[in-house]
Amino acid sequence: MDSLIAASARALAAGDALGALKRVALRDDPPALALRGIAMAQLGEHPRARELLRRAARGFGAHEELARARCVVAEAEVALAMRDLGGSPRPLAAAASTLEARADRANALQARLIAVRRLVLLGRLDEAAAALARLDARGLPPALAAVARLTEAELALRSLRTASARAALALAQEAADRAGVPALLAELAELRAVLDRPAARRLFAGAEQALCLDEVAALLASDALVVDACRRGLGAGDAWRPLARRPVLFALARALAEAWPGDVDREALIANAFNTRRPDETHRARLRVEIGRLRALVKPLAHIEATARGFVLKPHGDRAVVVLAPPIDGEQASLVALLSDGAAWSTSALALALGASQRTVQRALVELEAAGRVRAIGQARARRWLSPPLAGFTTILLLPAALPFA
């Protein structure tokens, strides 16, 4: 390794991308290409960074397996920043194994952390937690230790374990202060702010109350019957009934919960559940069928009684009924929540994270673009979607698998 390559690497480790580029900007040998790619990634030029890293990986010979593996890891991190989540995780896993075999523990852990963060973005929290539990972050450089703790905190936040998230953030802050990397400190500050922002609204008696994540976690752990419009289900304590794939039943449950302790007339229920303002006998018959299905579903938690004008929800015992509404309403709330992180997402990555078809996501994006809530950059396969960060509240409850029982 010559002196310019070593100096550029030290500059990158300190977060000085421009200083690194000054030393290798005019060189096209594989080590210089790799460093240029990492520098461009730190500057936000992700497509150019990916191209340089691929050129570097091709340039390293067959006897330079370690260097190629490092390029694969760097390219995977760029793909994560680009929200390009559709690729196979196998090359990254193979690179991590190569790095471990060559005793490059720091880069091997970096590869594992990238894989965990990808799983978190996709909402596969159980897999992410299992993979994170297998990692050993002891004795690492401060910057990498901070990333490991940040990943742990992000996973805890997505699972609504706020106490664990605060503990991980405290350890991440110590490591980030030692590292002194501005981008790392900024990411840490943003994640810490999530804990104090309103995350949901509690609807009751025609009024609403903003709740932060700590308050949401306490409410979900209480004995109250919670109709959760963030994750579309209802539960009390450890019991949970998902209704995300049964929109009619959820609409009925929410209407009954919002009216509690009063009842809701049949015409209002039909309008909410079936989206019609001119009900006829077929709608009334269907309402009876759907109420029967909802009654059977919520039987362990509450019962639904018919009244002279409609139906009323009556929880078992002395339970209160609470409606937990998202900070933003609308059919595309989860899509807006994913885009609100400020990153540029591809349509395929959004579909993968939401568990929906690309065509469904494309239609939703067109509607949001017409309303001025998102914008597109690039064309064809290079097209990416952006949304301005939503200030004043967090959308973490709208992200895929944000609740531990979802």
Side-chain angles (χ1 to χ4, degrees), residues 20-381:
L21 281 176
K22 286 179 182 178
R23 294 168 173 84
V24 295
L26 300 179
R27 294 177 52 169
D28 284 329
D29 52 302
L33 288 174
L35 292 172
R36 284 169 58 192
I38 296 170
M40 296 302 288
Q42 290 187 4
L43 293 172
E45 297 292 336
H46 297 130
R48 178 60 175 159
R50 173 179 272 188
E51 177 189 346
L52 289 167
L53 288 167
R54 286 177 175 174
R55 286 176 57 191
R58 290 194 298 267
F60 286 114
H63 61 287
E64 295 174 301
E65 189 178 23
L66 181 62
R68 287 205 311 274
R70 289 171 177 169
C71 290
V72 170
V73 173
E75 185 185 342
E77 189 166 14
V78 171
L80 190 71
M82 294 175 66
R83 299 299 187 260
D84 187 357
L85 309 177
S88 171
R90 293 177 186 172
L92 182 61
S97 298
T98 299
L99 293 167
E100 287 172 348
R102 299 297 184 91
D104 189 350
R105 181 169 173 265
N107 280 308
L109 182 61
Q110 177 78 347
R112 303 296 186 195
L113 286 173
I114 293 169
V116 172
R117 299 187 85 172
R118 178 181 180 273
L119 291 172
V120 171
L121 280 175
L122 293 175
R124 292 155 63 179
L125 302 188
D126 290 339
E127 294 179 50
L132 188 60
R134 293 193 294 267
L135 303 183
D136 183 7
R138 292 175 297 180
L140 290 175
L144 195 54
V147 172
R149 295 301 183 183
L150 272 172
T151 305
E152 182 181 342
E154 186 177 3
L155 179 59
L157 281 176
R158 292 281 291 271
S159 302
L160 279 187
R161 294 181 286 110
T162 55
S164 299
R166 291 183 188 278
L169 284 171
L171 295 173
Q173 186 70 61
E174 294 176 6
D177 288 340
R178 294 198 306 271
V181 178
L184 196 55
L185 291 168
E187 185 177 357
L188 178 61
E190 176 62 25
L191 196 59
R192 189 183 293 277
V194 167
L195 284 163
D196 300 320
R197 293 175 185 158
R201 295 172 293 141
R202 179 187 177 191
L203 306 182
F204 60 98
E208 66 178 55
Q209 174 191 5
L211 301 178
C212 66
L213 284 175
D214 286 317
E215 294 167 325
V216 171
L219 177 62
L220 293 172
S222 71
D223 195 45
L225 177 60
V226 180
V227 177
D228 183 3
C230 299
R231 298 304 300 171
R232 292 185 172 263
L234 69 159
D238 294 331
W240 173 251
R241 298 293 182 270
L243 294 174
R245 297 185 181 276
R246 305 181 77 173
V248 172
L249 295 190
F250 178 76
L252 292 173
R254 179 169 180 174
L256 291 169
E258 288 183 354
W260 182 84
D263 61 352
V264 186
D265 66 74
R266 290 171 176 80
E267 282 70 22
L269 288 173
I270 289 172
N272 276 329
F274 309 139
N275 196 27
T276 180
R277 299 296 177 184
R278 296 181 180 179
D280 55 28
E281 286 304 318
T282 61
H283 294 110
R284 295 184 182 92
R286 186 183 175 194
L287 176 64
R288 290 192 293 271
V289 171
E290 299 295 348
I291 286 289
R293 290 172 177 166
L294 182 61
R295 185 181 283 128
L297 187 73
V298 304
K299 186 177 181 180
L301 307 174
H303 54 272
I304 301 172
E305 294 183 357
T307 65
R309 62 192 293 265
F311 296 91
V312 62
L313 179 66
K314 291 192 174 181
H316 296 327
D318 297 328
R319 283 175 174 159
V321 178
V322 178
V323 177
L324 191 66
I328 51 175
D329 284 317
E331 293 297 323
Q332 294 88 22
S334 292
L335 183 57
V336 173
L338 283 173
L339 291 170
S340 66
D341 64 358
W345 287 71
S346 66
T347 305
S348 59
L350 289 168
L352 195 60
L354 293 171
S357 68
Q358 287 196 45
R359 184 58 187 155
T360 298
V361 172
Q362 287 169 349
R363 286 196 297 266
L365 288 169
V366 169
E367 293 177 11
L368 290 171
E369 186 179 29
R373 299 175 67 183
V374 302
R375 63 185 178 91
I377 56 174
Q379 297 293 329
R381 292 190 177 185

